[in-house]
Amino acid sequence: MPLIIVAAGILALLLLIMGLKLNTFVSLIIVSFGVALALGIPVENIVKTVETGLGATLGHLALIFGLGAMLGKLIADSGGAQRIAMTLVNKFGEKNIQWAIVIASFIIGIALFFEVGLVLLIPIVFAISRELKVSILFLGIPMAAALSVTHGFLPPHPGPTAIAGEYGANLGEVLLYGFIIAIPTVILAGPVFTKLAKKLVPDSFKKTGSIASLGEQKTFKLEETPGFGISVFTALLPVILMSIATIITLIQKTTGAADNHILVAIRFIGDASPAMLISLLVAVYTMGIGRKIPINKVMESCTTAITQIGMMLLIIGGGGVFKQVLIDGGVGNYVAKIFEHSALSPILLAWLIAAILRISLGSATVAALTTAGLVIPLLGHSDVNLALVVLATGAGSLIASHVNDAGFWMFKEYFGLSMKETFATWTLLESIISVCGLGFTLLLSLIV
């Protein structure tokens, strides 16, 4: 019965969002109240469950997400992202142009959220395509692959950051293992898959696409932008700080070294929130004040970044509410009982549930958070590495993007594709990332 109620809740969510065109956050809250009543949560406890779900999710995420949005905006508005892309394109040359796009998109994708990275990089891809007379899709698939992989696997992106908070996983470990998984996944889903896509839908590589909907884009003369080295350093600083802290902590655990003030300080600086704050302060100088840009202009970029992520934060909070309803309503425990004596790995189960929810709901973040509500009770019976469960959930939440996902329509319109061509490129690309992510996570589970 609990699973039937959850299925009915998901169908109601689809009806409200796709049928009645209701706002996603409002739909999530309505469905959460309805499912809570159906699951038999006492009426006097429902509001508390809703508030707990919203507060617990955003309490962990809002600081990292907000600081990350500001950091990305400063790098974009200063021309740092354009400098990274154009320098790599010039260095790699025409023959290796795909690899230049992959590396540039990967670096920029770490600092910028998926939609922002897409909007920023697509005009650059179109410009390079015109100059070198190559297909926009030949460059667009590797770009989308790199952005999607960073979005699904690497903090401070909302999905992996939120799931890590729900599972109680170490964010530094998620980042470190995420990198190990992300690099081969990008190669397979980017340059390698492009060759397959060219055989599947050759006509799509002749399309010219359109970016008219993006409006007037802010472009810079290369000499007006920050240097390549400082742009890359600023974009990757949170990753560097979190990775150093994680590696030193792992070495300390392995060697059994005693704790001291230096190690405590490193762990503090490498924690996600201080790492993001330090990185933002560095960006304020390197992308702003150090280049003689007035502080009020720099702060304008930060303010714009926050206003742009307001609804996204609420949607993530709404996903957290639905997750909490599933936990408090006993659905998670019910699922745990079903799989209590199962040989199925929690990694595989998390991927499977997230994949089903992603196909049903469209939103990767909502699918991932709902999965957490079903999987958390299972983790008490297992010694599985929590960081790997985070990555498996993230991988599952990316699969088979189709008509109920905004990314599907963005890719279709920008590259001027038909529905069939979009399924054969974008949907298949996302599915390859998802399956590769699971495969590499399972391989990593044999080692860590």
Side-chain angles (χ1 to χ4, degrees):
M1 194 63 189
L3 293 182
I4 293 168
I5 292 167
V6 173
I10 290 165
L11 285 172
L13 200 57
L14 285 170
L15 178 66
L16 291 173
I17 295 170
M18 295 178 69
L20 302 180
K21 309 294 182 193
L22 212 59
N23 176 278
T24 305
F25 171 69
V26 176
S27 302
L28 278 164
I29 298 300
I30 292 168
V31 169
S32 296
F33 273 108
V35 170
L37 286 167
L39 288 171
I41 296 176
V43 175
E44 62 272 18
N45 292 346
I46 291 176
V47 172
K48 189 181 176 187
T49 293
V50 168
E51 289 173 352
T52 301
L54 191 71
T57 302
L58 293 184
H60 168 74
L61 189 66
L63 186 61
I64 300 166
F65 197 21
L67 293 171
M70 291 186 213
L71 174 66
K73 186 70 173 164
L74 287 179
I75 294 166
D77 284 359
S78 66
Q82 187 177 322
R83 166 72 80 165
I84 292 167
M86 296 315 295
T87 302
L88 286 167
V89 165
N90 294 333
K91 289 279 183 198
F92 276 74
E94 188 175 340
K95 192 179 174 185
N96 299 309
I97 190 68
Q98 268 195 326
W99 293 103
I101 294 293
V102 164
I103 295 167
S105 303
F106 194 84
I107 294 168
I108 292 164
I110 290 167
L112 301 179
F113 300 134
F114 178 80
E115 291 83 358
V116 181
L118 199 63
V119 168
L120 185 86
L121 282 168
I122 277 183
I124 296 172
V125 163
F126 271 65
I128 296 164
S129 165
R130 279 195 304 271
E131 192 179 321
L132 300 181
K133 295 180 173 55
V134 295
S135 162
I136 51 166
L137 204 56
F138 180 76
L139 304 178
I141 287 174
M143 174 203 69
L147 288 176
S148 189
V149 165
T150 54
H151 174 74
F153 297 152
L154 301 180
H157 285 272
T161 308
I163 312 161
E166 300 298 344
Y167 290 154
N170 181 293
L171 209 54
E173 282 188 25
V174 174
L175 184 64
L176 196 62
Y177 299 150
F179 256 105
I180 295 168
I181 288 163
I183 291 166
T185 300
V186 167
I187 292 167
L188 290 172
V192 175
F193 171 61
T194 306
K195 292 175 183 175
L196 174 64
K198 216 167 185 177
K199 291 175 182 175
L200 289 174
V201 276
D203 289 346
S204 64
F205 283 78
K206 297 170 187 171
K207 301 285 177 78
T208 54
S210 171
I211 52 170
S213 61
L214 294 177
E216 191 67 33
Q217 292 301 301
K218 194 173 183 181
T219 53
F220 303 86
K221 291 178 181 172
L222 213 54
E223 60 271 18
E224 295 172 351
T225 61
F228 174 73
I230 198 67
S231 298
V232 171
F233 173 74
T234 305
L236 295 183
L237 186 55
V239 174
I240 294 166
L241 293 175
M242 285 192 269
S243 297
I244 288 170
T246 304
I247 290 165
I248 287 174
T249 302
L250 289 172
I251 291 169
Q252 185 191 7
K253 281 180 185 173
T254 308
T255 59
D259 220 0
N260 57 50
H261 294 305
I262 294 169
L263 290 174
V264 170
I266 289 169
R267 280 202 302 273
F268 173 74
I269 290 168
D271 193 80
S273 298
M276 291 307 304
L277 181 59
I278 291 165
S279 302
L280 177 63
L281 294 174
V282 169
V284 166
Y285 179 78
T286 58
M287 300 289 113
I289 296 166
R291 299 181 57 241
K292 305 290 188 289
I293 296 171
I295 189 68
N296 62 321
K297 281 276 183 193
V298 176
M299 290 301 107
E300 268 178 37
S301 287
C302 290
T303 304
T304 305
I306 292 300
T307 56
Q308 288 173 346
I309 64 163
M311 185 48 69
M312 173 66 85
L313 273 173
L314 282 177
I315 290 168
I316 292 167
V321 170
F322 193 36
K323 176 262 323 176
Q324 195 64 42
V325 164
L326 298 182
I327 291 173
D328 289 1
V331 178
N333 290 326
Y334 183 77
V335 171
K337 278 180 187 170
I338 292 172
F339 290 97
E340 198 169 9
H341 302 294
S342 168
L344 199 64
S345 160
I347 290 171
L348 190 57
L349 185 67
W351 180 86
L352 195 60
I353 294 171
I356 293 166
L357 289 169
R358 156 68 159 186
I359 293 165
S360 305
L361 299 173
S363 168
T365 307
V366 173
L369 282 164
T370 307
T371 301
L374 297 169
V375 172
I376 285 168
L378 280 170
L379 301 177
H381 308 291
S382 169
D383 60 352
V384 69
N385 187 301
L386 295 175
L388 297 182
V389 183
V390 171
L391 294 170
T393 308
S397 74
L398 292 176
I399 201 167
S401 165
H402 61 97
V403 294
N404 61 0
D405 179 28
F408 177 92
W409 297 106
M410 287 171 78
F411 194 86
K412 177 185 181 298
E413 293 308 313
Y414 293 149
F415 292 99
L417 305 175
S418 66
M419 290 291 282
K420 179 193 168 186
E421 288 167 340
T422 313
F423 279 116
T425 51
W426 171 253
T427 304
L428 194 50
L429 161 71
E430 289 284 270
S431 301
I432 289 167
I433 291 171
S434 179
V435 173
C436 287
L438 172 66
F440 291 126
T441 302
L442 288 170
L443 281 175
L444 201 55
S445 72
L446 301 174
I447 303 164
V448 299

